[in-house]
Amino acid sequence: VCVAGYGESDGNEILQLIPPPTLLTKETQGLCPERDFKVECGGFSKRPVYSLKYVPDTSLLVTSGPPDSSLQVWQVSAEDSDVIKFVSTIATENGTGQSWAKIATISARAPWVLHGSRLDTVQITEIESRKNVYTAASGGSEELSSLAFLDCNTLLLCCATGRLCLADVRQPQSLVEAVSVPSASCSEQWCMGTRHGAQGLELSSQPVARLSTWGFLTLTDLRKTSESLASAKVRVPYPGSGAEFLCVSWAPALEGCLAISGFDGTVHVYDTQSWDSSGREVEPIFVHKGHAFGGAGGSRDPPQVTVHTWHLQKPKTLLSAASDGSLHIWDWVQPCGKC
């Protein structure tokens, strides 16, 4: 597990952690004497780390963060060293003055990073050679909130306005708008979540989920973008607040389950299988409150969940991090019947 700090100082840590033994076993264990993460190696970044992505099948990490849209490449050192070493910077054309770049990685052909801060700055760079291998057709200058590889040829981009755009690496001049959303407010911002590890699966075998700062969730099947597959409303503590930590993700090993965070110190899990297109209010099947109750207390602001992700093999296990530097790994249990 890799984590990083996002403070304004020039000494933000980047750490690779070894999960506790209970997380590494395939079978469910009882009590385990060791329940803490251990630092395997680490380094320091001179800039805040707003996004960190591991490059599959390599020992490389890619990070991004202010004050511009450049990327930083890191090498997780060999067994005889405990240092995460800075390797290179991937500069972007006219990157100065732009917001930090959103990133996604893949290693289908070669180690690639998909990155951009606006719709008209999206490109793919080969990490090791720093060669530009794809530039998306200009589809406007809207700010990007999320981007993803659907497979080795297909890209999905999500603007902060909620607009989805499909792009094909084999057709650099094409940029297809998949679907927009009816915005409830001009201040509303959106992010998206796609099925993790969906490479090689049929396009949109799992719907794309979009989450707004006002608590609206919409599911879209990219094979039929003329209408929303399902939509719902979730209760959020501060509707319309900032989208800095907004996060929605699909469970990779559970059908129809997704999690959301970024509104406060909690992570909510939902079962979408009964959702329709009515936009009705829905209740979570589980709420993780560990970060909210695990803070330092006193007059300090309560911690806010900054990101969460699902364990790839353990169906009901998630990891979440918060603004107080806490990292949690937890299981959830769905109530049965009237229990």
Side-chain angles (χ1 to χ4, degrees), residues 54-269:
Y54 164 68
V55 184
D57 305 318
T58 73
S59 58
L60 299 175
L61 302 173
V62 181
T63 63
S64 66
D68 54 38
S69 59
S70 65
L71 310 181
Q72 290 70 50
V73 181
W74 305 81
Q75 174 81 48
V76 179
S77 299
E79 293 180 359
D80 59 346
S81 173
D82 59 358
V83 176
I84 295 179
K85 182 174 62 176
F86 173 75
V87 175
S88 63
T89 295
I90 297 176
T92 53
E93 188 176 352
N94 300 323
T96 303
Q98 294 182 19
S99 60
W100 61 281
K102 282 65 178 180
I103 54 180
T105 57
I106 196 173
S107 293
R109 294 191 181 96
W112 282 0
V113 57
L114 169 67
H115 55 104
S117 58
R118 299 195 312 258
L119 198 56
D120 57 359
T121 64
V122 174
Q123 62 187 70
I124 296 175
T125 302
E126 189 174 292
I127 295 173
E128 293 174 336
S129 67
R130 286 178 281 173
K131 177 184 176 183
N132 177 269
V133 296
Y134 169 82
T135 300
S138 178
S141 58
E142 293 178 59
E143 180 184 355
L144 284 173
S145 64
S146 320
L147 38 73
F149 284 101
L150 294 180
D151 55 41
C152 61
N153 293 313
T154 314
L155 320 174
L156 185 62
L157 319 172
C158 180
C159 300
T161 59
R163 178 185 174 197
L164 284 179
C165 293
L166 275 168
D168 194 310
V169 173
R170 297 161 295 186
Q171 302 174 15
Q173 299 307 312
S174 69
L175 190 63
V176 180
E177 181 174 343
V179 65
S180 295
V181 292
S183 183
S185 166
C186 61
S187 63
E188 190 172 17
Q189 298 183 65
W190 296 76
C191 72
M192 74 168 181
T194 58
R195 182 77 174 266
H196 187 85
Q199 288 83 3
L201 299 178
E202 181 186 355
L203 180 65
S204 78
S205 58
Q206 180 85 14
V208 176
R210 279 172 291 171
L211 170 67
S212 85
T213 50
W214 285 79
F216 293 103
L217 270 164
T218 179
L219 311 183
T220 303
D221 187 334
L222 295 178
R223 296 166 296 187
K224 187 179 180 181
T225 60
S226 58
E227 59 187 37
S228 174
L229 189 64
S231 59
K233 176 72 171 65
V234 300
R235 282 197 292 265
V236 297
Y238 310 107
S241 58
E244 183 179 13
F245 302 124
L246 206 61
C247 183
V248 56
S249 64
W250 286 103
L254 283 177
E255 188 67 30
C257 278
L258 58 76
I260 68 170
S261 64
F263 297 99
D264 54 15
T266 63
V267 182
H268 291 215
V269 178

